[in-house]
Amino acid sequence: MRTDRRTFLTGLAALPLAMPALRRAHAATPIVAASLLGDDKPETLVWIHIRDRVERELPGRFAFNIVPNAALGGEKEVAEGIRLGSIQASLSTLSNLSTWVPGTQLFDLPFLFRDAAHLNASLAGACGQELGEKLATEGIAAPAFINYGARHLLAREPLLAPDDVKGKRIRVIQSPLHAQLWESFGAHPIALPITETYNALSTGHVDAMDLTKSAYAGFRLYEVVPHVTLTGHIHAAGAVIFSGSFWSGLDEEARNVLQKAAIEGAGHFNTLMAADEDASVEVAGQGGAVFHDVADRAAWEAPARKVWESFADRVGGMEHIEAAAAAECRS
């Protein structure tokens, strides 16, 4: 009995030392990460990459619940969930965030960026830093930026010149800039969530839209809009975003680990996206898509660049825009 009593008392004495580990084992902080696309797309794969990176650094600290296929809503609904704290993490185009931070529209100006390297340099510089600070005031933490690829014109029939767009009903994201862009070509913009575009195009509610190659294939839109004009008019910038309330509630160690994982994940996403675009073109081509090169790029640029002047006051002025166009982005 004496031996049993000593064993029992020794166990009691060890409990205070064991309790912190027990608490850690049972205190995984949930992270609901929303993705608009499927398990095999970069929008979802990036969260698996971030989850695994965080788990290596902080085993058991977080429990990621990655929800694909827009099950938690479209971009606008997810961003609202991020701001409210009901969703902890997602990706978002900067266009989608312009509702709360109009300055994001700098990165949506048509024909502003020459290529992906030009865009990425601007996001990594002073303009990106300033943008992150403004998003934080709106309850959105954006520790890293991403590149979804260029947006191209998708239609039910070939639209090969600016005049071909006149009178067409074109789906746009819920952004005044995108609406004005297509109005400058004489089209009739109709704002719809991405999740409603397939039906809208198949029924003729809209005639055309613009989107990246990856999302074009991901949403199987080649089945209803088989013609792609390679305008590359907007390089679709985005961000890895977290709920501001969730982010501010983390301790410094956890926040630093998540931030590093997000930055690394953003680079991984950009690599995946470039490869996915190539694969998406092949998939869409096999599904009947026809890709058309732009014969006269200047003809497309002329009306679109009028949007620069219209939105200058909202994004820091024409000098700011011209600096970004010259790869000298500054706050």
Side-chain angles (χ1 to χ4, degrees), residues 177-194:
L177 185 151
H178 282 241
Q180 186 172 327
L181 167 61
W182 294 108
E183 285 172 349
S184 72
F185 289 101
H188 304 299
I190 298 174
L192 290 172
I194 188 66

Side-chain angles (χ1 to χ4, degrees), residues 119-138:
L119 170 65
N120 293 342
S122 295
L123 288 169
C127 286
Q129 181 179 349
E130 180 184 28
L131 187 58
E133 293 169 356
K134 290 179 178 178
L135 288 168
T137 65
E138 295 297 328

Side-chain angles (χ1 to χ4, degrees), residues 69 97 224 229 248 250 314:
N69 294 311
L97 302 178
V224 288
T229 305
S248 62
L250 297 172
R314 308 181 205 189

Side-chain angles (χ1 to χ4, degrees), residues 73-274:
E75 264 200 315
K76 189 67 68 178
E77 291 83 4
V78 169
E80 288 171 347
I82 289 282
R83 294 182 74 243
L84 291 171
S86 58
I87 298 171
Q88 284 72 54
S90 189
L91 305 182
S92 177
T93 61
L94 296 186
S95 302
N96 181 52
L97 302 178
S98 66
T99 299
W100 302 284
V101 179
T104 62
Q105 293 170 107
L106 171 69
F107 294 91
D108 251 1
L109 292 175
F111 301 104
L112 179 63
F113 299 104
R114 295 184 302 275
D115 51 32
H118 185 183
L119 170 65
N120 293 342
S122 295
L123 288 169
C127 286
Q129 181 179 349
E130 180 184 28
L131 187 58
E133 293 169 356
K134 290 179 178 178
L135 288 168
T137 65
E138 295 297 328
I140 300 170
F145 294 103
I146 55 176
N147 184 355
Y148 283 96
R151 299 180 79 95
H152 305 283
L153 179 61
L154 322 174
R156 302 170 70 186
E157 59 189 42
L159 302 178
L160 305 181
D163 285 347
D164 296 336
V165 180
K166 289 181 180 178
K168 299 297 183 185
R169 297 181 301 274
I170 184 165
R171 176 267 174 179
V172 297
I173 64 173
Q174 294 166 297
S175 161
L177 185 151
H178 282 241
Q180 186 172 327
L181 167 61
W182 294 108
E183 285 172 349
S184 72
F185 289 101
H188 304 299
I190 298 174
L192 290 172
I194 188 66
T195 49
E196 296 178 19
T197 54
Y198 188 101
N199 285 339
L201 290 161
S202 63
T203 60
H205 179 58
V206 294
D207 305 304
M209 65 179 291
D210 68 342
L211 201 60
T212 63
K213 294 173 184 175
S214 180
Y216 175 56
F219 286 103
R220 302 179 65 88
L221 293 173
Y222 50 82
E223 296 175 349
V224 288
V225 279
H227 292 279
V228 181
T229 305
L230 296 170
T231 50
H233 49 279
I234 291 173
H235 284 268
V240 181
I241 60 173
F242 292 86
S243 166
S245 58
F246 164 79
W247 192 259
S248 62
L250 297 172
D251 59 57
E252 185 176 358
E253 179 188 30
R255 192 182 303 115
N256 287 340
V257 168
L258 270 175
Q259 181 168 341
K260 290 177 182 177
I263 293 170
E264 182 183 302
H268 182 64
F269 174 87
N270 289 346
T271 300
L272 288 176
M273 187 57 72

